[in-house]
Amino acid sequence: MERARTKVRFWVATAAVLVPMAVGIVLAGCARAEPGTEAKFPDYVYRSTQALRGYQLAVDNQELLTHLPCYCGCGQDPAFKHLRDCFISDDGQFNPHGANCLICLEEVDDAMAWKGQGLNLKEIRDRIDAKYEGRGEPTDTAPVEDETSERPQQ
């Protein structure tokens, strides 16, 4: 009888530890990207300072990134339509791809640097295309046609 009680205590204690851990993992995976808010990132975003910066920039510049193709080769997957998809999916969930892809991280850094220099959307897109063409199959992102495109908001 004592042995049965010991087993029950063991499983209760194990569940008391594992259940909260599992809930925390699930909630971390459900983090959403809302522009203009302090994002709560999943653990994989913190793998490097460059990854953290990339996700912070992506959250704050989602509209701009929907006009830029990604050249890392992720475009072979139909779920990836533009650079934003490497960081944030259409439903606002974070995508782990960007944390592990140097090309995605470099592209978002370049786009934000050029935005900071005052380039308009067409100029940023042209520079991304020129610099990254040939690195991988790009996403099928619609071209930016208007040379008088508005400047991305600061």
Side-chain angles (χ1 to χ4, degrees), residues 23-45:
V23 169
I25 291 168
V26 168
L27 291 177
C30 294
R32 299 182 66 80
E34 301 293 332
T37 63
E38 185 68 29
K40 291 184 168 63
F41 295 116
D43 288 344
Y44 57 78
V45 170

Side-chain angles (χ1 to χ4, degrees), residues 12-153:
V12 169
T14 301
V17 172
L18 294 179
V19 169
M21 286 175 55
V23 169
I25 291 168
V26 168
L27 291 177
C30 294
R32 299 182 66 80
E34 301 293 332
T37 63
E38 185 68 29
K40 291 184 168 63
F41 295 116
D43 288 344
Y44 57 78
V45 170
Y46 299 98
R47 66 176 292 140
S48 71
T49 55
Q50 188 177 15
L52 178 58
R53 176 175 161 74
Y55 280 86
Q56 289 170 331
L57 293 171
V59 166
D60 292 339
N61 297 278
Q62 293 183 49
E63 175 62 25
L64 172 62
L65 299 186
T66 63
H67 298 284
L68 304 177
C70 178
Y71 280 93
C72 77
C74 65
Q76 296 173 4
D77 180 337
F80 292 84
K81 299 175 293 301
H82 39 65
L83 185 56
R84 190 203 66 197
D85 288 336
C86 298
F87 299 92
I88 305 165
S89 63
D90 286 338
D91 65 0
Q93 299 293 319
F94 290 108
N95 184 333
H97 175 83
N100 301 300
C101 183
L102 189 56
I103 292 174
C104 297
L105 294 168
E106 288 176 359
E107 275 192 62
V108 76
D109 272 341
D110 285 340
M112 295 307 102
W114 294 327
K115 175 184 171 182
Q117 293 171 10
L119 274 64
N120 67 34
L121 178 57
K122 174 84 167 106
E123 293 167 328
I124 294 170
R125 171 65 183 265
D126 289 346
R127 286 191 180 189
I128 289 287
D129 289 339
K131 181 172 181 178
Y132 291 93
E133 184 176 33
R135 291 215 189 167
E137 184 68 29
T139 54
D140 188 24
T141 308
V144 176
E145 298 293 334
D146 184 12
E147 289 186 28
T148 61
S149 299
E150 290 184 25
R151 301 209 183 279
Q153 293 182 351

